[in-house]
Structure formats: C-alpha cells, structure tokens
Amino acid sequence: MTVSPLARPFPDLPPVAGVRIAVARARYKTWDRADLTYVALDEGTVVAGVTTSSKCPSPEVEWCRAALTLGRARALVVNAGNSNAFTGNRGRAAVEAIAARVAGATGCKPSDVFVASTGVIGVPLPIDKAEAGIDAALAAPEASWEEAANAISTTDTFAKGAVVRAVVDGRIVTLAGIVKGSGMIAPDMATMLGFIFTDAAVDPGLLQKMLGTANAQSFSCITVDGDTSTSDTVLAFATGAAGNAPLADMDSPGADAFNAALIDICTQLSHLVVRDGEGATKFVTVDVEGAQSDASARVIALSIANSPLVKTAIAGEDANWGRVVMAVGKAGEPAERDSLAIRFGATQVASGGLAVEGYDEAPVAAHLKGSEIEIGVDLGLGEGRATVWTCDLTHGYISINADYRS
C-alpha cells in the first residue's frame, strides 16, 4: 500500500494513567495483521461520545448510544475489516457476545464495554473470531499507541495519533488519541472511528458537552467524499488518574484549558483523516465568510468541499474558480452573485460578480501546485463564517473503491 503523500509521522504518545492497550489477530479478513484492539480502563472511568447521523447505523453504534447514557466505561473493543452494519439480529448478537465475553473475563458489566467495528457493510461479524480475538488480546502484552492505531485501520495508509497536554487544577493532564478513516468520510455528528483518552477527572455530563463542541469544530468539518458512514463513532474516556479536582462545569478551575485541549486534539485527528483521504494528494482548506449565519456558511463550505468538479480541478491544479461559484450557487443558502468574492491562496480571483480586473493566474497556478490549498469565499451578506477541510479527488479514489471488496 502506497502511503499518502500528505502523511504525518506518528507522534510520541505517552501512556495515559488508567489505560491499558492490547491488540490481537481475530482474522476478520485474510490479512496477516492485528485487527482487534482491546483497551482496559480503570474503575471510575467516565465516557462521552458522538455517533453517526446515518439512519442505518450499525449495532455497535446503537450499543454505544445506550451505554453512553450511563456515563461509565471499563473497556473498549474495536474490530477492523468488518463493520457489522446492516446485519440484523446476527449483528446485534455479535455485539452482545463481545460485551459479555469482556464482562465475564474482567468482572465489569456488559454495559461498561464499548464496541466499535469498521470495514465492509452487510457481513455479520463472526462471533467465534471475535471471542477468540478477545481472549488473545486479554492474554497479550501491552501494545503501543501506534500498534493500536494500525490495528483499527482499514484502507488507511498511515497510523494516526495526536497528543495534547493542559494544566488543570495545577496538574498537567494528558489527552492522547487515535483515529482511523480514509474513505466514506462526511461526518454529520467520517468510515471513521476516533478514540481519545485522558487522565483528567471530568464529570461525564461536562465531558459530553465539551466533546459535542469539539466535534462540531473538527470531525463534523471534514469531508473526503461526501458519504456518511453507518459506523462513525468518536469516544472520549477520562480515567481521573491525574488527581485534579473533578471538572464539574465550565466555571471549574482549568475547565477552559481542558476544553481548548480537547478541541485541539480533535482538530488534529480530523485533519489526519483528510490527509489520508483515499487517493488524496492535496489538503484543502475552505474558508467561507460574510454569510448570513455560521450555519449557512457551513452548508456553503461543505457544498464547495464536496463538489466533484471543484475537487477534480484541484487535483488537476486548474484555477477554475467558476466551479466554486457553481458550488456556492447550488448550496441553497442566501447568496448574491454581485457581492461574491473568491480567492485561491492569497490571490483574489473574482469579486462583484466577475473576474478581478487584471487578474494574474500565475500565482494561483503556483499555489495549486503545492500540497496545501486554500479556497476563500466572502459572500458579503453578514457575519457568518465557517471553515471545513477536504482533499482533492483523483483516479486513486476510484481505484481503491472499485476494488474495495475484491
């Protein structure tokens, strides 16, 4: 597998107190690699999560949603190679069996076990392989963050992780996270799974509120292909082992710092997913301002970011700003042709309903030859603004997905 040209080296992620990781080979596919990740969490760990808005969610998503209402966690199991989505009662039985196997071995409740799966849709997860994989993971030596990041991947070309630290109540707390995702990325909450672990002590209700805010500014602002997965899940676990006074609300000492750290790590992880977009060669930032509202700006930004015509123009390094006009116009949000302005990088290319007089395409062409692309749009209507991140659309995307099951 060719590594994405936009890849980033896996960072040096430190241990997080109260978290133990193991990986195993459940052999969900014919590959020779670890494809089951098991994470043990100390008693007292709290959890928050966001899941896909798909109306066809996997049994794992439904299980996590129910478990999240309790706010506690003792274990996480992640399966790669089989999403177990659209599998009816057999799929639900597999999730229940996984939770029961872990609970029986560790003495926790099944509802304390979180389960996530990723891979092909429509094939029931084989319970025998899952149980054998869990048994192997329970007996395995502790794994590294990078091994876990590789084990949860499917079409990913590089392991993805991030770490952020913050000072909370006079103590340094750590946030470490891993994420997988490469295609079927358009999260409405990307196939995308993300897991964040911290030793901070946080009330589960506050953690849920913070994760929702962080998600809205990160995972829900990326798109590779406009397709929302049936399995999208982002979970945040807080063990409390740092010993800080528990964060109960946003007025708690250090809550602002922790909230900023959570937004930071979610943003880093979400960008890594885009950088590994299937077939991607360019990381694209789309900034929209001057909209009637932030929500309107986000819709317009996603219309640009999801446009195959815009994305293929970027891939071809073609300064075809007319395609951006098209994407703004089709978004269904308030827009006025004669107040619209468009830039590529630092160069204004269109304004007031037509091309900028004397516009020199040379600096734009030079900008598009790079791997970091910026598209800016000013609607000139209000104060609304939004930023989303995407990648170009190349032949590589077609090749990967045409052969996905073969």
Side-chain angles (χ1 to χ4, degrees):
M1 180 181 293
T2 302
V3 176
S4 168
L6 305 174
R8 292 289 186 266
F10 195 84
D12 182 16
L13 268 62
V16 173
V19 178
R20 181 188 178 277
I21 310 165
V23 299
R25 299 183 180 189
R27 293 180 168 81
Y28 293 122
K29 295 179 70 173
T30 56
W31 51 28
D32 185 22
R33 46 154 281 196
D35 53 6
L36 183 145
T37 303
Y38 171 76
V39 182
L41 303 159
D42 278 2
E43 190 170 357
T45 298
V46 302
V47 61
V50 288
T51 59
T52 182
S53 64
S54 170
K55 302 302 182 183
C56 300
S58 69
E60 285 82 346
V61 167
E62 294 177 323
W63 178 272
C64 286
R65 287 174 179 168
L68 282 167
T69 63
L70 303 175
R72 62 175 187 262
R74 292 297 308 281
L76 167 70
V77 176
V78 187
N79 306 298
N82 183 322
S83 77
N84 197 38
F86 211 71
T87 51
N89 289 332
R90 291 175 64 187
R92 283 187 284 274
V95 177
E96 292 170 358
I98 288 170
R101 192 74 162 200
V102 172
T106 63
C108 70
K109 296 180 179 179
S111 57
D112 294 338
V113 181
F114 285 76
V115 186
S117 301
T118 177
V120 68
I121 293 171
V123 179
L125 191 77
I127 294 176
D128 57 342
K129 291 185 178 181
E131 291 181 332
I134 290 168
D135 292 346
L138 288 168
E142 188 162 2
S144 68
W145 288 110
E146 186 168 9
E147 287 173 319
N150 279 315
I152 68 173
S153 69
T154 49
T155 59
D156 304 57
T157 70
F158 65 94
K160 306 172 184 65
V163 60
V164 177
R165 293 179 175 86
V167 177
V168 176
D169 187 33
R171 299 173 183 266
I172 297 177
V173 302
T174 300
L175 296 86
I178 57 175
V179 68
K180 67 82 53 182
S182 188
M184 202 181 288
I185 304 294
D188 225 349
M189 13 136 284
T191 293
M192 190 191 83
L193 301 177
F195 308 105
I196 299 161
F197 304 87
T198 179
D199 53 5
V202 191
D203 178 83
L206 179 61
L207 186 61
Q208 183 64 52
K209 180 180 178 180
M210 288 179 169
L211 183 61
T213 298
N215 166 71
Q217 299 179 38
S218 57
F219 297 113
S220 285
C221 292
I222 63 172
T223 179
V224 168
D225 47 25
D227 288 334
T228 297
S229 170
T230 57
S231 305
D232 289 340
T233 302
V234 175
L235 300 172
F237 302 93
T239 67
N244 62 284
L247 299 176
D249 53 45
M250 288 304 297
D251 292 326
S252 299
D256 286 346
F258 182 81
N259 189 51
L262 185 59
I263 292 172
D264 186 0
I265 196 169
C266 287
T267 302
Q268 289 187 52
L269 292 172
S270 68
H271 286 191
L272 291 171
V273 173
V274 175
R275 290 185 176 280
D276 204 15
E278 290 171 344
T281 65
K282 299 181 187 294
F283 180 86
V284 185
T285 300
V286 180
D287 288 312
V288 173
E289 59 183 331
Q292 286 194 351
S293 67
D294 290 349
S296 179
R298 182 177 182 274
V299 171
I300 293 170
L302 285 171
S303 179
I304 298 167
N306 281 323
S307 165
L309 287 176
V310 172
K311 290 161 72 71
T312 50
I314 297 298
E317 300 174 353
D318 178 13
N320 191 343
W321 54 267
R323 294 184 177 182
V324 178
V325 175
M326 172 278 301
V328 172
K330 75 169 186 175
E333 293 295 315
E336 294 290 341
R337 178 196 61 207
D338 294 340
S339 65
L340 182 65
I342 298 168
R343 65 174 174 82
F344 282 82
T347 306
Q348 199 78 17
V349 299
S351 181
L354 69 168
V356 170
E357 187 174 355
Y359 156 57
D360 179 7
E361 193 169 295
V364 175
H367 178 67
L368 292 176
K369 288 186 179 300
S371 59
E372 309 278 333
I373 309 301
E374 295 181 15
I375 299 174
V377 171
D378 189 341
L379 291 144
L381 300 179
E383 301 299 320
R385 60 178 57 241
T387 299
V388 303
W389 299 277
T390 189
C391 56
D392 55 343
L393 178 59
T394 69
H395 289 290
Y397 181 87
I398 297 170
S399 298
I400 291 167
N401 285 284
D403 298 334
Y404 184 67
R405 292 203 307 159
S406 57

